[in-house]
């Protein structure tokens, strides 16, 4: 008995230790970047030499910083909107409906996930080059948005599909039995319960689009998004302004992920309440 208890304790300790090591492996570089953003030295050295906020000021004063932020925000917002709508429609078609060539539809939907981002960007650049010569247009933010929609929509679809798969259709049946129309069922029952999955998919899609480099670099033309701005600056030399930029990206992203998890938990509680009262 004691031996079995000891074995269980060893296994539990090993599992907890593995999780702690994994988290340290993931977050040590991020925490290091955050620390470097407050250094007073122009050279990134450890231990950190002094404490200063000057690099945040230098980052904001860069003339090409805010245009890059606006471009990235525009691309990410528009791409997320299209990806969320297409992903939600695709997820519902995936889970709820049976139709011819459904397996082919699933394979085609997953195809962008199988392409490395660099290869996807190059292929789409070649395609837009041919199409641009024919229709007389050049690459820019519009082509970046199209490329991002192609890339992030499958991710949104998979996340929403999980929510659709776990959806209890008896709630819709109860609403229809109570006399609700199809639109009222969707508006009052289906959409509110699917919304946490859609919101989570939108956050994930936004972050993927915001930080995407390969597709943006291939299709942006003369426009610059934030990842392209970072790449152009790092190509010249390292500077503490880039750890400062990474910190400004990391904190809002963490808050968005926390908000998505909060909404997911609230939706589960809401759904369980609805089931218990129906």
């Amino acid at each position: 008995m004691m031996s079995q208890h000891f074995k269980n304790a060893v296994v539990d300790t090993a599992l907890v230790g593995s999780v702690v090591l994994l988290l340290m492996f993931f977050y040590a570089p991020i925490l290091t970047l955050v620390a470097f953003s407050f250094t007073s030295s122009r050279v990134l050295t450890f231990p950190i030499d002094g404490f200063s906020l000057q690099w945040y000021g230098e980052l904001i004063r860069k003339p090409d910083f805010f245009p890059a932020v606006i471009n990235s925000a525009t691309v990410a917002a528009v791409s997320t909107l299209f990806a969320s709508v297409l992903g939600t429609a695709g997820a519902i078609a995936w889970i709820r409906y049976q139709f011819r060539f459904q397996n082919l539809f699933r394979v085609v939907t997953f195809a962008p996930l199988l392409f490395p981002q660099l290869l996807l960007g190059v292929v789409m650049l070649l395609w837009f080059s041919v199409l641009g010569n024919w229709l007389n247009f050049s690459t820019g933010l519009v082509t970046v948005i199209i490329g991002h929609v192609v890339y992030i929509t499958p991710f949104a679809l998979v996340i929403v599909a999980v929510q659709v798969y776990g959806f209890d259709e008896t709630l819709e049946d109860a609403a229809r039995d109570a006399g609700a129309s199809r639109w009222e069922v969707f508006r009052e029952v289906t959409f509110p319960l699917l919304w946490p999955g859609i919101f989570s998919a939108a956050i994930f899609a936004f972050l993927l689009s915001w930080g995407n480099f390969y597709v943006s670099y291939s299709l942006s033309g003369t426009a610059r998004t934030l990842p392209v701005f970072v790449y152009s600056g790092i190509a010249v030399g390292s500077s503490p302004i880039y750890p400062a930029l990474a910190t400004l990206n990391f904190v809002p992203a963490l808050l968005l992920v926390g908000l998505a998890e909060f909404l997911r938990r609230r939706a589960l509680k809401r759904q369980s309440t609805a089931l218990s009262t129906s």
Side-chain angles (χ1 to χ4, degrees):
M1 187 71 177
M2 197 68 172
S3 176
Q4 185 63 36
H5 179 74
F6 178 75
K7 289 179 181 178
N8 292 338
V10 170
V11 171
D12 291 342
T13 303
L15 289 174
V16 172
S18 299
V19 172
V20 171
L21 289 175
L22 186 63
L23 291 175
M24 289 177 60
F25 178 78
F26 282 154
Y27 285 99
I30 297 174
L31 295 176
T32 302
L33 280 176
V34 173
F36 277 140
S37 70
F38 296 107
T39 182
S40 60
S41 172
R42 184 168 292 274
V43 182
L44 300 180
T45 58
F46 196 83
I48 296 172
D49 185 19
F51 177 87
S52 175
L53 296 174
Q54 64 175 331
W55 304 113
Y56 289 90
E58 287 203 18
L59 175 64
I60 294 173
R61 286 192 294 270
K62 271 189 165 293
D64 49 349
F65 170 67
F66 281 111
V69 171
I70 293 172
N71 287 341
S72 284
T74 302
V75 169
V78 177
S79 302
T80 298
L81 177 62
F82 280 101
S84 299
V85 173
L86 294 173
T88 301
I92 294 174
W94 251 38
I95 304 300
R96 289 199 164 185
Y97 296 98
Q98 299 293 326
F99 50 90
R100 293 181 63 186
F101 308 114
Q102 187 173 30
N103 289 332
L104 178 62
F105 168 72
R106 290 175 176 173
V107 171
V108 171
T109 302
F110 267 114
L113 297 176
L114 305 178
F115 274 80
Q117 291 186 46
L118 178 59
L119 181 59
L120 180 64
V122 171
V123 168
M124 295 196 72
L125 175 61
L126 295 174
W127 187 74
F128 279 123
S129 298
V130 174
L131 198 62
N133 291 332
W134 182 36
L135 299 178
N136 193 26
F137 73 89
S138 58
T139 54
L141 291 184
V142 174
T143 54
V144 174
I145 289 172
I146 295 173
H148 281 207
V149 171
V150 171
Y151 173 62
I152 66 179
T153 297
F155 293 97
L157 188 152
V158 171
I159 295 173
V160 178
V162 173
Q163 190 80 14
V164 176
Y165 183 78
F167 186 86
D168 189 348
E169 296 184 31
T170 59
L171 297 174
E172 293 176 323
D173 295 335
R176 280 190 287 267
D177 291 341
S181 65
R182 179 176 294 183
W183 167 246
E184 288 173 335
V185 171
F186 177 80
R187 185 186 63 193
E188 302 296 335
V189 179
T190 308
F191 184 75
L193 292 177
L194 291 182
W195 168 244
I198 298 172
F199 185 74
S200 298
I203 288 178
F204 191 65
F206 183 89
L207 295 176
L208 282 176
S209 176
W210 177 269
N212 184 278
F213 169 73
Y214 293 110
V215 176
S216 300
Y217 184 77
S218 301
L219 303 179
S220 60
T222 57
R224 299 179 82 186
T225 60
L226 201 58
V228 178
F229 163 80
V230 173
Y231 173 77
S232 302
I234 291 178
V236 177
S238 62
S239 169
I241 68 168
Y242 299 109
L245 178 57
T247 304
L248 292 177
N249 275 270
F250 173 69
V251 174
L254 196 62
L255 293 176
L256 284 175
V257 172
L259 177 61
E261 177 63 17
F262 168 76
L263 290 176
R264 186 189 69 83
R265 289 178 177 271
R266 193 175 71 171
L268 288 175
K269 184 178 179 181
R270 203 160 145 204
Q271 187 170 355
S272 63
T273 303
L275 285 172
S276 61
T277 56
S278 62

